[in-house]
Amino acid sequence: EKDPLRPALAVRILPADSRVRVHQYGMAHGPEWAERAEIEMRTNARYHWHGELARPQIRKVYRRTNLLVLPSLMEGGANVISEAVAAGVPVVASDIPGSMGLLGDGYPGYYPTGDEQALADLLQRTASDPAFYEALTDWCRSLQPRFSPAAERAAWARLIEQVDAA
């Protein structure tokens, strides 16, 4: 369901003067994946895998990041999108139904699943086109109320009420 090295492949394609860097967080999906990430770090100066961090450290990462990339092949609505939106971080995501369900059909930050050239183009655009970056940011800010603790509590209450009524 994950495609974790797609952003690393995408930044390899960017122009030499690009300032885009990928900082990846999260535990390895297995020893083979960890080895691939280590090799990628040695051969790709624009990529760094930090491993798994505790939730308080991830909140600090959100405060200093410019963009979240979710390169999934398939999954339901990823928590990381909700966390990024709540933190005010714009998102670039593969065009899978789970991400589209969270961000909306017309969201301009999608790229075709598995396509590192399209992702590279989108990353370059976010870095070089302030109006586009602001459009992503504004869109995500408009979704913040949907991902608030109050909205989550209300959704759980509705679900429990529906289950009780059934």
Side-chain angles (χ1 to χ4, degrees), residues 22-153:
V22 172
H23 291 270
Q24 187 169 21
Y25 298 87
M27 75 175 165
H29 305 288
E32 180 182 303
W33 187 90
E35 183 178 336
R36 288 178 59 206
E38 294 287 343
I39 291 167
E40 189 65 28
M41 283 193 294
R42 287 193 298 272
T43 60
N44 183 348
R46 294 179 175 170
Y47 173 77
H48 187 84
W49 172 49
H50 297 269
E52 188 170 20
L53 296 180
R55 189 169 292 285
Q57 280 117 353
I58 288 294
R59 287 190 189 109
K60 289 178 185 177
V61 169
Y62 281 129
R63 285 195 291 272
R64 66 178 186 257
T65 193
N66 299 313
L67 184 73
L68 171 85
V69 178
L70 182 63
S72 295
L73 297 172
M74 60 178 224
E75 66 180 296
N79 287 339
V80 70
I81 287 179
S82 304
E83 292 169 355
V85 168
V89 176
V91 176
V92 165
S94 54
D95 59 357
I96 62 170
S99 295
M100 295 175 82
L102 291 172
L103 296 168
D105 289 336
Y107 184 64
Y110 297 124
Y111 70 94
T113 304
D115 186 340
E116 65 260 15
Q117 181 63 61
L119 176 55
D121 294 344
L122 195 53
L123 292 174
Q124 185 61 26
R125 186 172 180 200
T126 63
S128 63
D129 182 345
F132 180 70
Y133 180 80
E134 192 62 33
L136 293 179
T137 302
D138 289 347
W139 187 294
C140 288
R141 280 191 192 127
S142 76
L143 297 176
Q144 282 180 324
R146 181 188 294 178
F147 301 114
S148 71
E152 187 172 339
R153 282 190 299 274

Side-chain angles (χ1 to χ4, degrees), residues 11-21 46 124:
V11 295
R12 286 176 172 266
I13 300 170
L14 294 176
D17 64 345
S18 175
R19 295 177 40 220
V20 174
R21 301 293 181 266
R46 294 179 175 170
Q124 185 61 26

